[in-house]
């Protein structure tokens, strides 16, 4: 394993925008070793005052919707304006496939070579709640390293978009035209979370279908309750291949930020997200402690059998394990 730096070594490297040290700091955050966890939290503590200045954007959509192609076009648009862009990925499917699909090197090739951009896939095989917390920490470190825009990408197939919604300022849902909501595996809840829905691949033969889908989704979201912040979700069409709609989507991100900064919801949202983060951390740490308890582990197997065979109520089994843990 690579030698660790001192806290100061990491902090100075991050603050000076040193990519190599930034990557090493993220590896440190992702480490499961307890001494690394202590070092990581010291680094985080030190960079905290320098974080928070970026705009945080979550992007989700089913596999094949065009996320990586969109992020590449969107990212290039931003870097062409001199903005520094970090792309972080939360990949819940990596657990099953044992390899991060978002980590595929061929994805976002142009952006990956852009000196103003930084791309980091999530570690493979990690538990989703844990990945989400580490993505939050990685985001703070990227902010301290001077990135202006942080994009958090996730595959919209499960729980991960809720996690992402809980850590960004602006949530963009990418959708295909004509595929049907069921086919896209999307629940109404995900659409309700979106600040903007963009219909992808609005080019050549697909353009009329994309325009139609836009009208349909506009009608659908009119029925949603308005956001507390006063923002109402927009539906756009875009083509990453033709670079169409990209600037317009960025314009919405800026409009959203202006509105929410003016009425105080921008800050309020981040405060609520921090409280949620604290609660998640408590739950996660408690969970880890509980399952690592030797006596809990010893009793768990038999109780699981009893629950499966119907010998004991699940609630009673849980209570017994909790009593063992608390003792
Ligand atoms: P992801 O799985 O959501 O990351 O999707 P990808 O970005 O890998 O794109 C899936 C497929 O859609 C690829 O074959 C892309 O070339 C294609 N694609 C992505 N964006 C566009 C677009 O704007 N127009 C068209 N026509 N095809 C696109």
């Amino acid at each position: 394993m690579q030698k660790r730096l001192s806290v100061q070594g990491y902090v100075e490297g991050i603050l000076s925008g040193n990519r190599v040290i930034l990557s090493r700091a993220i590896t440190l955050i992702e480490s499961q070793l307890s001494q690394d966890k202590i070092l990581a939290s010291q680094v985080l503590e030190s960079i905290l005052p320098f974080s928070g200045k970026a705009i945080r954007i979550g992007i989700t959509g089913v596999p094949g919707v065009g996320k990586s192609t969109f992020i590449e076009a969107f990212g290039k648009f931003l870097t062409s304006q001199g903005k520094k862009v970090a792309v972080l990925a939360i990949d819940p499917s990596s657990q099953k496939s044992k390899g991060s699909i978002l980590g595929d090197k061929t994805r976002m090739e142009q952006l990956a070579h852009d000196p103003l951009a930084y791309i980091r896939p999530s570690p493979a095989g990690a538990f989703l709640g844990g990945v989400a917390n580490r993505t939050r920490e990685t985001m703070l470190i990227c902010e301290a390293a001077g990135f202006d825009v942080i994009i958090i990408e996730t595959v919209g197939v499960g729980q991960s978009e809720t996690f992402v919604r809980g850590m960004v300022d602006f949530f963009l849902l990418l959708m295909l035209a004509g595929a049907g909501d069921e086919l896209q595996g999307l629940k109404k809840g995900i659409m309700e979370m979106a600040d903007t829905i963009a219909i992808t691949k609005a080019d050549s033969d697909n353009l009329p279908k994309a325009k139609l889908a836009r009208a349909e989704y506009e009608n659908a979201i009119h029925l949603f309750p308005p956001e507390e912040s006063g923002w109402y979700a927009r539906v756009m069409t875009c083509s990453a291949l033709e670079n169409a709609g990209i600037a317009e989507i960025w314009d919405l991100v800026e409009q959203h930020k202006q509105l929410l900064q003016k009425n105080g919801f921008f800050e309020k949202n981040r405060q609520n997200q921090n409280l949620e983060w604290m609660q998640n951390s408590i739950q996660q740490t408690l969970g880890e402690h509980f399952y690592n308890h030797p006596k809990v582990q010893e009793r768990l197997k038999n109780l699981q059998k009893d629950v499966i065979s119907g010998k004991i109520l699940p609630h009673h089994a849980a209570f017994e394990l909790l009593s063992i843990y608390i003792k």
Side-chain angles (χ1 to χ4, degrees), residues 91-99 124-128:
D91 180 3
S93 59
S94 60
Q95 212 166 355
K96 283 181 203 144
S97 63
K98 291 280 174 224
F127 149 70
L128 183 54

Side-chain angles (χ1 to χ4, degrees), residues 62-69 107 201 203 239-241:
V62 294
V65 72
K67 287 180 297 302
S68 56
T69 317
R107 296 177 95 243
K201 310 187 194 183
D203 44 51
S239 165
L241 287 191

Side-chain angles (χ1 to χ4, degrees), residues 15-16 18 25 54 63 73 109 121-122 135 158 164 183 194 213 217 234 241 245 251 253 280 298 300 312 317:
L15 295 182
S16 68
N18 180 321
E109 209 162 351
S122 62
T135 304
V164 174
L183 214 139
Y217 284 121
R234 312 293 206 277
L241 287 191
D251 191 47
V253 174
N280 288 345
E298 199 183 299
L300 183 64
I312 184 169

Side-chain angles (χ1 to χ4, degrees), residues 239-291:
S239 165
L241 287 191
E242 294 183 353
N243 258 314
I246 305 292
E248 288 79 0
I249 291 172
W250 173 247
D251 191 47
L252 284 178
V253 174
E254 292 202 303
Q255 281 182 37
H256 176 268
K257 185 180 169 192
Q258 269 167 19
L259 174 78
L260 270 69
Q261 276 185 333
K262 223 163 133 190
N263 65 20
F265 270 89
F266 192 85
E267 202 40 46
K268 196 173 158 202
N269 185 35
R270 285 194 173 184
Q271 286 165 353
N272 287 339
Q273 288 176 344
N274 279 337
L275 286 178
E276 227 171 85
W277 184 2
M278 183 179 82
Q279 282 162 5
N280 288 345
S281 301
I282 293 172
Q283 278 173 7
Q284 198 197 327
T285 312
L286 270 180
E288 279 170 14
H289 254 242
F290 175 77
Y291 286 107

